[in-house]
Amino acid sequence: MCNPAFRRAAGLLRLMLTCALLLAAAAPAAAADRDRQRFVDVSVHTLWGGTYLINNFNSAFPEISHINTMMGVGIGAGAGVRLNITDLVAVGTELNLLVGHGKMDLAVASETNVSVSNVFQTNSYTQFIIPVFVGFTLPVADKVAWEIDPGFFIGLGLGGTQKSTIYDAKTNALGQLISSSTVVEHDFYADSDGFLSSVKRANFGFHLATRLRFNSHFSIGLRTEIGLTNASYSTGLVNPTIRPVNLLAELGWRF
């Protein structure tokens, strides 16, 4: 059954695209007066910032006594196409390649506190981010425009690793403390043996980008992607929640 959040987001996307098509139908003369280069804009950009995985591991696994999830570095690049329906409204899409990272540390204690485990996990992954949006352009000064692109995105995971270092401390029958360490590595995407959970290859969510464009070419801006569907890939009895979040700066050039 389709996720309710997915259905609502898909409905909003259809509404946004319908409004854009109605604007296009209502302004054919405006589009006809444009030359081909002005009507179709092609751009490239670089991305850098932070990637994060929101999770509910602490509530899904009661044996976790402490957890700390940290944002990692995200870097990427991409290209986009924008169809200018009017001077102020456009529809567009992009293809972005993003390399993300993240860290998590947690502590697990047994009910009798006879054993304690500390886990330090690092994640690295590569994915395609494909946003579809309705863009709005507002002139703010001579040769300076403010662009706002709300829409939705599809994320497609290509590959990655989940590396966990586990430190165990146990008390034996003589009251002696026995410690050990283990390093385990799993695939970041769709690995049924992943620690707590791995991540589904495909995810869907909200996209918002904003930027200032100078002389119709150079741009600098910010963007975010927030997952709306549960990206957790788990085959166990407990299915936790994972939602990816990206917060990225961009430098771009429109041809």
Side-chain angles (χ1 to χ4, degrees):
M1 182 177 293
C2 186
N3 188 286
F6 183 93
R7 290 199 301 269
R8 290 194 296 268
L12 288 173
L13 179 58
R14 287 195 297 268
L15 178 61
M16 293 170 63
L17 293 177
T18 299
C19 292
L21 291 174
L22 289 175
L23 287 170
D33 289 340
R34 299 172 181 272
D35 57 37
R36 188 173 185 83
Q37 185 177 7
R38 180 72 181 278
F39 179 61
V40 180
D41 284 329
V42 178
S43 62
V44 294
H45 49 262
T46 60
L47 304 170
W48 75 101
T51 56
Y52 186 74
L53 295 176
I54 298 175
N55 64 73
N56 70 338
F57 291 163
N58 204 27
S59 59
F61 302 97
E63 57 268 37
I64 295 177
S65 59
H66 161 81
I67 187 169
N68 182 30
T69 305
M70 292 160 280
M71 178 175 283
V73 175
I75 55 174
V81 176
R82 191 182 184 99
L83 305 180
N84 298 306
I85 297 171
T86 71
D87 287 336
L88 302 179
V89 181
V91 293
T93 186
E94 297 175 351
L95 177 62
N96 301 308
L97 182 66
L98 179 66
V99 178
H101 301 85
K103 292 183 179 181
M104 179 177 68
D105 61 76
L106 58 92
V108 178
S110 67
E111 294 183 359
T112 58
N113 291 323
V114 173
S115 64
V116 176
S117 298
N118 291 293
V119 182
F120 298 88
Q121 185 181 97
T122 59
N123 297 314
S124 62
Y125 51 94
T126 304
Q127 62 178 330
F128 281 129
I129 300 290
I130 307 171
V132 178
F133 56 86
V134 176
F136 302 92
T137 301
L138 302 174
V140 295
D142 184 34
K143 296 184 179 181
V144 180
W146 179 26
E147 297 178 355
I148 308 171
D149 299 342
F152 298 94
F153 79 92
I154 295 175
L156 300 175
L158 301 178
T161 58
Q162 179 197 83
K163 184 177 181 181
S164 302
T165 302
I166 305 171
Y167 296 94
D168 290 315
K170 300 179 181 180
T171 303
N172 62 17
L174 299 177
Q176 298 171 322
L177 183 65
I178 306 299
S179 61
S180 63
S181 64
T182 307
V183 178
V184 293
E185 188 170 313
H186 299 100
D187 290 334
F188 181 79
Y189 290 109
D191 190 335
S192 58
D193 295 325
F195 184 81
L196 298 183
S197 175
S198 61
V199 176
K200 295 176 182 176
R201 289 194 179 274
N203 63 88
F204 176 84
F206 174 71
H207 164 86
L208 178 64
T210 183
R211 68 187 64 84
L212 290 176
R213 190 169 299 280
F214 303 91
N215 295 319
S216 300
H217 294 294
F218 174 73
S219 68
I220 182 170
L222 295 171
R223 65 175 58 202
T224 186
E225 283 96 20
I226 303 173
L228 295 177
T229 56
N230 185 8
S232 171
Y233 183 92
S234 176
T235 58
L237 297 177
V238 178
N239 185 29
T241 297
I242 296 176
R243 301 186 191 279
V245 175
N246 303 323
L247 180 59
L248 304 166
E250 69 167 67
L251 283 177
W253 180 265
R254 179 174 294 170
F255 296 99

